[in-house]
Amino acid sequence: MAQLTCENLSLGYEGKSIVQNLSFTVNAGDYLCIVGENGSGKSTLMKTILGLLKPMEGSVTTGDGLAAREIGYLPQQTVVQRDFPASVREVVMSGFQGSCGLRPFYTRAEKRRAEENMEKMGITDLADRCYRELSGGQQQRALLARALCATKKMLLLDEPVAGLDPMVTSEMYALIKSLNREGITIIMISHDVDAALKFATHILHIGDEIFFGTRQKFTQTRMGMGFSTLRGLKK
C-alpha cells in the first residue's frame, strides 16, 4: 500500500489551473524528485500534499501507517525566517508543535529525540547559538533536524540546497541520502537535475509535459534524454 496517493489532481489559484489530471503514488523508502520549469506548480503541489492548500479537483491520501500530521517539511526560507531570533535548540524543538496539541511543554522523550536529531545533523555544538547567527548551511541542517522531529517516515523538502555553496550542497545531499537509506521517504523539489538523476529512485516532471516513473524510465524519455544531454555538456 502506498504511503501517499495523489489522484487526478488539478492545482491552481483563484480558479486558474496550473496543473491538471496529475496522478502518482509514493511508497515507503522512495526518493522522489519533483522537477519542472519555474511556475509549473511544484511548490503548489507540495503545499497541497501538506494540506496547506486545497486541490481544485482530485484527492491526496496517506496510507501504509502514515498520518498526514507525520510528514516533516523543510520549506524555502524567506529573509525574515533567516533572521529568526531563537536558539537552534528552540528551532529544532518547534518541530514537535504539530504533535503537541494543547500541551504547553515538551516531554522528556521529545527533548531526547531533538538532541538525537541535532547530533545526526552535526549541529549539537550549535544548540545554544542564535539561529540567525548561523551560516546558510548550518541553518538548513537545523531546519532538517526540526523536520525530523515531526516525522520518522516522510520528509518533504522544497529546494533544500538553494543558495548554498557547492561543498555545503554536497554535504546536504549526502545527509538527505543517508536519511533515505535509514528508511525515510524523501519527496524533494529540485532545479538540480544532476542531483535528481544521481539520487532519486523516481522522478515527477510537471509542466507542459507530465512524467512520473522511475529514474531509469525518465532517462529514456525525450525530456530525460534532453536533461542527460545537457548534463553531459556541463561536464
Side-chain angles (χ1 to χ4, degrees):
M1 184 179 182
Q3 276 189 332
L4 179 73
T5 301
C6 295
E7 191 169 6
N8 299 323
L9 286 182
S10 290
L11 311 174
Y13 294 98
E14 299 177 352
K16 182 179 179 181
S17 177
I18 301 174
V19 181
Q20 295 180 327
N21 300 319
L22 177 63
S23 297
F24 64 95
T25 58
V26 181
N27 295 316
D30 283 354
Y31 190 142
L32 172 67
C33 272
I34 304 173
V35 298
E37 299 77 17
N38 288 333
S40 60
K42 299 185 297 297
S43 292
T44 301
L45 171 60
M46 192 163 279
K47 290 175 182 176
T48 302
I49 292 172
L50 290 163
L52 302 175
L53 294 174
K54 290 185 177 180
M56 297 174 67
E57 294 181 13
S59 62
V60 177
T61 56
T62 56
D64 195 19
L66 176 71
R69 62 179 175 79
E70 294 180 298
I71 300 175
Y73 179 42
L74 195 163
Q76 291 190 45
Q77 282 200 91
T78 65
V79 173
V80 173
Q81 288 168 332
R82 291 191 184 97
D83 201 37
F84 193 62
S87 73
V88 170
R89 180 179 282 105
E90 289 170 329
V91 169
V92 173
M93 291 292 296
S94 69
F96 291 115
Q97 289 179 353
S99 59
C100 280
L102 299 176
R103 173 162 46 86
F105 58 88
Y106 297 115
T107 66
R108 185 176 299 176
E110 287 169 341
K111 292 177 181 178
R112 183 169 58 250
R113 187 170 155 200
E115 295 294 332
E116 290 170 354
N117 288 333
M118 285 190 287
E119 182 177 357
K120 187 176 293 186
M121 293 298 105
I123 57 171
T124 300
D125 59 330
L126 303 175
D128 296 320
R129 289 271 302 277
C130 184
Y131 177 78
R132 63 185 176 188
E133 295 175 355
L134 305 184
S135 68
Q138 290 170 333
Q139 287 188 345
Q140 288 298 82
R141 285 172 179 257
L143 292 179
L144 196 49
R146 177 185 185 275
L148 287 171
C149 287
T151 187
K152 293 182 179 180
K153 298 179 180 179
M154 178 180 286
L155 282 174
L156 270 59
L157 313 174
D158 192 349
E159 293 285 352
V161 300
L164 303 182
D165 66 47
M167 180 177 293
V168 177
T169 292
S170 179
E171 292 171 352
M172 279 297 294
Y173 280 137
L175 280 172
I176 294 166
K177 186 61 181 178
S178 69
L179 294 173
N180 181 239
R181 289 196 188 101
E182 292 174 11
I184 294 178
T185 305
I186 303 293
I187 301 178
M188 180 174 71
I189 293 175
S190 179
H191 284 100
D192 187 345
V193 179
D194 278 358
L197 295 178
K198 180 178 181 181
F199 297 112
T201 59
H202 294 75
I203 303 288
L204 173 63
H205 179 279
I206 58 178
D208 293 335
E209 295 182 71
I210 292 178
F211 170 88
F212 170 69
T214 64
R215 176 185 61 196
Q216 290 79 7
K217 288 185 178 179
F218 179 71
T219 60
Q220 296 168 9
T221 66
R222 184 177 61 81
M223 286 181 292
M225 286 189 286
F227 282 129
S228 295
T229 299
L230 290 173
R231 190 183 186 200
L233 291 173
K234 290 178 183 177
K235 292 181 177 179

